[in-house]
């Protein structure tokens, strides 16, 4: 009986327990059980996924991307450009590694080209019109660099056509002070100036010159500024090194304002209103032609007149004279003119952005945008295809994770392969103009990679300061190629650093206020938190202003794979970093943006401004106190927001509270926009990013 | 045995069931139970709360509010204004019925006043300078309307001081075509014009006149335009009816652009940059003085010259002549001039907004703003205190629910008691300028109540069309005073209606594009979805352009409680409606804004534009197709959004999906902003709301 009772109790207990277990685990609680999305909404960035992503970034794949991208010249709107459009579309629409969606977006933009049937000519002609010297029309061929008929003749885009003729003068870097100085000694009316690249924005060298009566301009890269004095292609320059051969010529856009010239502030669609061509501003008032240093050498070393000032002297083995104007009496060019025959023309062309998207799972209406331009002046193996080859590798890995159903970002990722950047940041600007409102309201950040690798020394980034923290985090997780276990962060700091009141000795970030690539319209016009990055050379070890083949026909796969990044490990490092930052921005529950680092920049601006202007302003009875109070108030608010973020109990906060904080972080840069800040420059509306003024 | 087995099975079943029940209900599921906020985030508007709110809106309380508010004149920045500031603060800081927080916000604004020590004078003087007639300086007193020393002399704010003298001419309504017509017959150089209110914006009557050499202006309300021809205060006008007594003068601001004149686009704080006074635009170029119709009668009926055209004739019992210029030969004023001595002065004054807030529970970073201006020209019992008395009653009821812990809105409610509206929408504009970015990013809608009740006929609203649906919903729930069981919606429709392609026969909403009250900067400058409302008279039954005592000293509590709304039931109806809409906007899970109704307006604009301009544009080879495509594309997107909203499973959607849709609805009006739309009028940036052009 007892046994039976015990058995009964035991059985009862077992049954009860089974019941409890069934009731607790087996039956979903209606009403009070958590909806499935509760967990998804609280999900934070997955560190192991980032690690896996980084480990998969493939240097060989990047190399093959670059080879493919640079097979032919791909200047904007040419057949070569269309080939790269197709390549991007194929990759992004691939069934196994493509994005959710990819498409082309066209803009009808106003571009400038030389006439292949009437090449631009620069000659020295005697008083009897005998041609004494002709500048080289095309760059010299060094196998295996292909002699493609589509290599565009070196020219200055947006230089007007024309046939100026006049005595030559040497105007140093074409800065305002250079012309002022030159004008003290030489009558500049009717002259042609030769200037060196490197001291002033391209268009401005000509705009500065016009008031002095100068009628034409030649521009070149001095040996001193690019080649550390090396000039022989027999054993010194490319193909023997990365240095510029004597015939190499830097192309470029000589247009000051970014975006399509005929449709300011509006997307250049077929039916968009266009301003009259004669209303375009910020382009050269007279013809300009860039030439190689072999020609510049001939011209400059024959110049007469007084010797140019010390700082104007370059690396040619002669004294740089100002010009009589014109050549010296002892020269075979004595009394001769320089004659330019420029046949550039402008026309409306269809330029393509290739767009791609991975739709966000939780916040599809928040965008992280990653962009790179696609067009190069010639084969563009460094500018921009080093970036494009990395771009394709990053999107391949992300696309594959999506296609395999392993991952989908919290926020949407938008990828922009911009067209016609070389003509002055055209495709990306038109995109921001077309989607102005949506992008302003929804974009968390814009990551730009133009040139991914242009040297072997260190990674570096230029960014809005609120991104500093996430950039540092990513670069600490990536090894410096060739220096295992030393992070990109450490080598960057070695290359360029500063002392932060909050963080001590840290890498120094560059500024994105200079409108040098596709971040321009995002950050200046829309006020979107933006960054740019590249692996660069050590500027302390060379006088070169930039990598020597920049914008020349020598930017080929051969050049890049031999002299820029032989193993493509630096490309790989940039891909790892860009992807790391991109995933963090897209997946972090709380956006990895930091306001206090912004406050540090504003305080730095303030102290500089006080140093420079306080006395002058006080003399005019203008107080700086309101500005000081504003910066202090920003600091207080930033500190408070930091505290709120640190105090969050991430697992238990409501999704709308997190969203509120994220919106504050996302919209911070928009608060600095003021269309009235620089009344005549609507495109530079952010007063946290003053426009670069001309010297 | 069988029994035992059965008992055993039954017991086992009971124990198992008990276990299941304990397991399911007795033990909280760790990890998988819903966080407490899941329910809060999904909560929709509570209809019973709205009903309760409406039942509690108290007409007697509103009446007492009005009595208190109108005890003394409360022109902006005067001691009477400060009394109303204190009243608002006391109410909003009340422990039992106050808001979460209330505070004052000051702006230093540029206002214009007459000099109490040197009253403005208008006289008729003979060639020997004998004064033949003097216009009345102050309005006549009718007890119990108080003879407060603070009643400001009638004047035209922003009219410059000056002493013009000249022959009088009659210029009808001061429209451009009126001066053109008059100038065909009369040499206007050196003349003084008398014009009637009602055909043109105040400042523009003078701006139009200056090119013709006119040097001063008198302006008055014609009997025809305000009093249905009645003019005797013995038995016809106030205090016997709501009609304007002969000495009543309409004051007003003669400044064209809204906001503080010296700080365009910037909040007028102590340290804000101010433009030089001489750069102010849109103010009269010569002195203006408003006069009563008893004086206008004397002047106009003595005028010489040709008879004015038929449509220029008013209701005085005489022929309105154009002026010789000057008076007719048979007049005792023959050969006399009109002489004006205007002593207006401008100065910077501190004007106060009183701000209050009820913090949202779920989305505190979304704002519904409810505003009303506080300043009246004199006692302001209609304009604006009818609105203020309702405003206080609505906030009392909302505040009480919050203080009692019964309710807290989903979104934040912001209450603005604006200062200096009468001087041209000053306080609200400065507020939008100060918090431009935050308000743009976060404001769901702005509800304006200026004058709550100005007549006895019907409720009406002016609004952005996306608000139409919520306004209709609310007005269907409020009975028309005196007509139980007939809703405000029905009487409104009777008063003014239209046929909508989508909804059939519906009430006709007015437009908020006219900048007549504090919604101006919200809707035009910030692109915030806005509305205005009032209970009005039947314009079909009277010629009066507005309620007759508008902006005169007769806008007293006595006037309002006797002739505008004796039982205060119309005030009550406006309070019920405003509160109803406010609660719906703040509490609805999905914002009650409708894009398809917006599409209907755009289609209506388009068809009008096509009718008016298509032929003319086609003749110039300008196609309207892109505009048509844009409107069609808006319609498609609106239909799609409607479908998405109707397809929502509200109880189960994620909060971020609802937020995404709400953001689309909230930001719709921002998408119509374009600072370049009207290049010289930055404050009217919305191209869905074209600025009112002058005739």
């Amino acid at each position: 009986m007892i046994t039976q009772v015990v058995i009964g109790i035991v059985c009862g207990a077992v049954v009860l327990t089974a019941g409890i277990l069934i009731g607790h685990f087996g039956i979903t609680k209606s009403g009070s059980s958590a909806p499935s999305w509760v967990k998804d909404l609280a999900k934070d960035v997955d560190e192991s996924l980032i690690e896996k992503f980084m480990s998969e970034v493939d240097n060989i794949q990047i190399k093959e991307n670059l080879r493919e991208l640079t097979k032919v010249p791909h200047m904007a709107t040419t057949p070569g450009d269309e080939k790269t459009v197709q390549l991007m579309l194929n990759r992004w629409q691939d069934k196994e590694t493509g994005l959710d969606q990819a498409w082309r977006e066209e803009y009808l933009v106003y571009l400038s080209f030389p006439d292949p049937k009437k090449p631009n000519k620069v000659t020295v002609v005697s008083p009897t019109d005998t041609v004494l010297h002709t500048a080289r029309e095309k760059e010299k061929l060094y196998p295996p660099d292909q002699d493609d008929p589509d290599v565009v003749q070196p020219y200055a885009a947006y230089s007007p056509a024309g046939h100026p003729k006049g005595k030559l003068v040497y105007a140093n870097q074409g800065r305002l002070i250079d012309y002022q100085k030159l004008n003290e000694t030489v009558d500049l009316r009717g002259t042609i100036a030769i200037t060196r690249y490197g001291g002033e924005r391209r268009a401005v060298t000509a705009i500065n010159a016009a008031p002095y009566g100068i009628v034409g301009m030649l521009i070149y890269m001095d040996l001193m500024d690019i080649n550390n004095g090396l000039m022989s292609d027999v054993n010194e320059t490319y193909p023997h090194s990365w240095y510029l051969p004597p015939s190499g010529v830097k192309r470029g856009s000589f247009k000051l304002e970014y975006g399509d010239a005929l449709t300011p502030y509006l997307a250049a669609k077929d039916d968009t209103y266009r301003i009259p061509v004669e209303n375009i501003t910020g382009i050269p008032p007279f013809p300009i032609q860039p030439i190689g240093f072999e020609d510049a050498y001939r011209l400059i070393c024959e110049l007469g007149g007084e010797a140019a000032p010390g700082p104007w002297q370059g690396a040619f083995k002669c004294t740089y004279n100002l010009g009589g104007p014109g050549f010296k009496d002892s020269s075979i060019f004595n009394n001769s003119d320089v004659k330019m025959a420029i046949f550039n023309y402008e026309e409306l062309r269809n330029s393509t952005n290739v767009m791609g998207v991975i739709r966000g799972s939780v916040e599809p209406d928040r965008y992280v945008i990653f962009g790179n331009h696609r067009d190069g002046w010639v084969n563009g193996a460094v500018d921009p295809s080093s970036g494009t080859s990395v771009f394709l590798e990053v999107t391949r890995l992300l696309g594959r994770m999506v296609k395999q159903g392993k991952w989908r970002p919290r926020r949407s990722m938008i990828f922009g392969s911009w067209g016609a950047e070389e003509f002055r940041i055209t495709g990306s600007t038109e995109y921001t103009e077309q989607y102005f409102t949506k992008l302003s309201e929804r974009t968390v950040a814009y990551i730009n990679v133009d040139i991914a690798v242009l040297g072997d020394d260190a990674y570096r980034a230029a960014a809005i300061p609120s991104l500093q923290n996430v950039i540092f985090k990513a670069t600490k997780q990536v090894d410096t190629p060739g220096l295992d276990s030393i992070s990109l962060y450490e080598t960057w700091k070695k290359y360029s650093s500063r002392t932060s009141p909050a963080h001590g000795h840290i890498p120094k970030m560059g500024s994105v206020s200079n409108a040098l690539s596709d971040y321009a319209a995002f950050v200046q016009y829309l006020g979107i938190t933006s960054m740019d990055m590249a692996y660069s050379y050590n500027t302390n070890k060379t006088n070169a202003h930039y990598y020597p083949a920049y914008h020349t026909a020598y930017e080929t796969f051969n050049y890049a794979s031999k002299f820029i990044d032989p193993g493509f490990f630096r490309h790989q490092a940039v891909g790892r970093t860009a992807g790391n930052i991109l995933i963090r921005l897209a997946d972090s529950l709380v956006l990895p943006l930091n306001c206090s680092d912004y406050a540090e920049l504003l305080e730095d601006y303030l102290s500089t401004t006080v140093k420079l202007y306080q006395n002058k302003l006080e003399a005019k009875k203008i107080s700086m106190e309101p500005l000081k109070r504003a910066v202090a108030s920003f600091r207080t608010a930033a500190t408070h927001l930091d505290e709120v973020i640190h105090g969050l109990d991430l697992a238990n906060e409501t999704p709308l509270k997190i969203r509120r904080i994220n919106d504050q972080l996302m919209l911070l840069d928009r608060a600095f926009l003021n269309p009235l800040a620089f009344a005549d420059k609507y495109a530079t509306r952010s007063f946290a990013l003053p426009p670069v003024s001309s010297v």
Side-chain angles (χ1 to χ4, degrees), chain A residues 29 167 216 274 304 328 353 389 397 511 527 549 554 574 618 637:
Chain A
K29 280 199 187 186
K167 298 280 180 276
R274 285 172 165 75
K328 54 190 165 192
N353 290 343
S389 64
L397 295 174
S511 159
Y554 304 114
V574 171
E618 277 176 358

Side-chain angles (χ1 to χ4, degrees), chain A residues 53-70:
Chain A
F53 165 84
M54 291 200 301
S55 72
E56 287 175 347
V57 174
D58 183 350
N59 56 322
I60 303 304
Q61 183 68 49
I62 294 173
K63 182 178 180 177
E64 293 312 311
N65 289 344
L66 188 68
R67 193 195 303 275
E68 180 77 15
L69 284 162
T70 57

Side-chain angles (χ1 to χ4, degrees), chain A residues 328-644:
Chain A
K328 54 190 165 192
D329 295 347
S330 59
S331 165
I332 54 158
F333 297 160
N334 174 28
N335 233 351
S336 297
D337 285 329
V338 167
K339 193 171 157 183
M340 300 172 66
I342 306 302
F343 299 98
N344 295 348
Y345 67 99
E346 295 82 36
E347 67 177 3
L348 288 175
R349 293 265 189 107
N350 262 313
S351 173
T352 303
N353 290 343
V354 181
M355 303 303 304
V357 72
I358 298 178
R359 198 171 158 80
S361 56
V362 173
E363 297 179 271
D365 58 339
R366 287 296 176 266
Y367 309 150
V368 183
I369 306 179
F370 184 14
N372 158 266
H373 74 91
R374 206 182 51 253
D375 64 308
W377 276 118
V378 190
N379 293 64
V382 180
D383 179 8
S385 303
S386 66
T388 317
S389 64
V390 167
F391 193 40
L392 281 172
E393 175 62 357
V394 170
T395 55
R396 179 183 74 90
L397 295 174
L398 298 175
R400 194 172 62 179
M401 289 196 288
V402 169
K403 295 286 182 195
Q404 291 177 342
K406 288 183 178 164
W407 167 82
R408 179 167 287 285
R410 178 183 181 88
R411 305 180 181 88
S412 293
M413 289 176 168
I414 295 177
F415 302 93
S417 168
W418 315 121
E421 190 269 357
E422 294 297 1
F423 287 80
R424 198 67 183 117
I425 315 182
T426 315
S428 57
T429 301
E430 298 311 305
Y431 176 74
T432 63
E433 290 170 349
Q434 184 172 3
Y435 298 105
F436 180 85
T437 309
K438 221 178 253 191
L439 294 175
S440 298
E441 290 163 358
R442 300 180 174 181
T443 309
V444 162
Y446 174 70
I447 302 173
N448 193 62
V449 176
D450 183 328
I451 297 170
V453 184
L454 66 140
D456 61 5
D457 190 64
Y459 174 91
R460 54 145 196 229
I464 288 289
S466 44
L467 282 163
Q468 178 178 280
N469 197 42
V470 68
I471 296 171
F472 284 0
K473 191 156 198 171
T475 51
K476 284 175 183 172
Q477 295 185 318
V478 179
D479 282 345
T480 302
L483 297 169
D484 283 352
S485 80
I486 298 179
S487 69
L488 289 189
Y489 176 87
E490 288 301 329
T491 44
W492 178 10
K493 192 162 74 175
K494 226 166 128 187
Y495 166 63
S496 171
S497 66
R498 68 178 180 103
T499 302
S500 147
H503 308 293
H505 185 224
I506 55 172
K508 186 173 175 179
M509 291 206 309
S511 159
V512 284
S513 69
N514 47 20
L516 291 182
S517 185
D518 291 295
Y519 50 79
F522 285 96
V523 71
Q524 292 189 357
Y525 185 47
L526 269 66
I528 287 171
T529 310
S530 297
M531 68 171 297
D532 189 43
M533 66 175 80
Y535 210 96
S536 191
Y537 62 97
N538 191 331
T539 51
N540 305 319
K541 289 187 184 162
T542 167
N543 287 327
H545 285 184
Y546 216 39
Y547 66 98
Y550 178 57
H551 285 190
T552 70
Y554 304 114
E555 271 198 49
T556 57
F557 180 75
N558 186 58
Y559 182 87
S561 58
K562 266 199 180 139
F563 301 113
I564 296 283
D565 186 15
F568 286 82
F569 294 111
R570 293 172 202 117
H571 285 77
Q572 184 183 45
V574 171
R576 286 172 172 164
T577 312
N580 187 317
I581 295 169
L582 179 63
I583 295 170
R584 287 183 189 283
L585 286 165
D587 278 357
S588 296
L589 187 53
V590 175
L591 286 174
L593 300 174
N594 184 289
C595 290
S596 291
D597 290 335
Y598 217 127
E600 197 170 292
L601 177 79
L602 296 183
E603 284 157 0
D604 190 46
Y605 277 0
L606 178 65
S607 77
T608 304
T609 312
V610 165
K611 245 178 260 164
L612 289 174
Y613 300 113
Q614 181 155 285
N615 289 340
K616 288 176 196 168
L617 288 172
E618 277 176 358
K620 293 186 175 184
K621 299 200 181 306
I622 298 172
S623 168
M624 293 198 74
E625 291 311 309
L627 184 62
K628 289 178 189 171
R629 279 200 300 275
V631 171
S633 147
F634 185 95
R635 166 63 77 179
T636 307
T639 305
H640 176 70
L641 186 57
D642 274 357
E643 286 165 7
V644 168

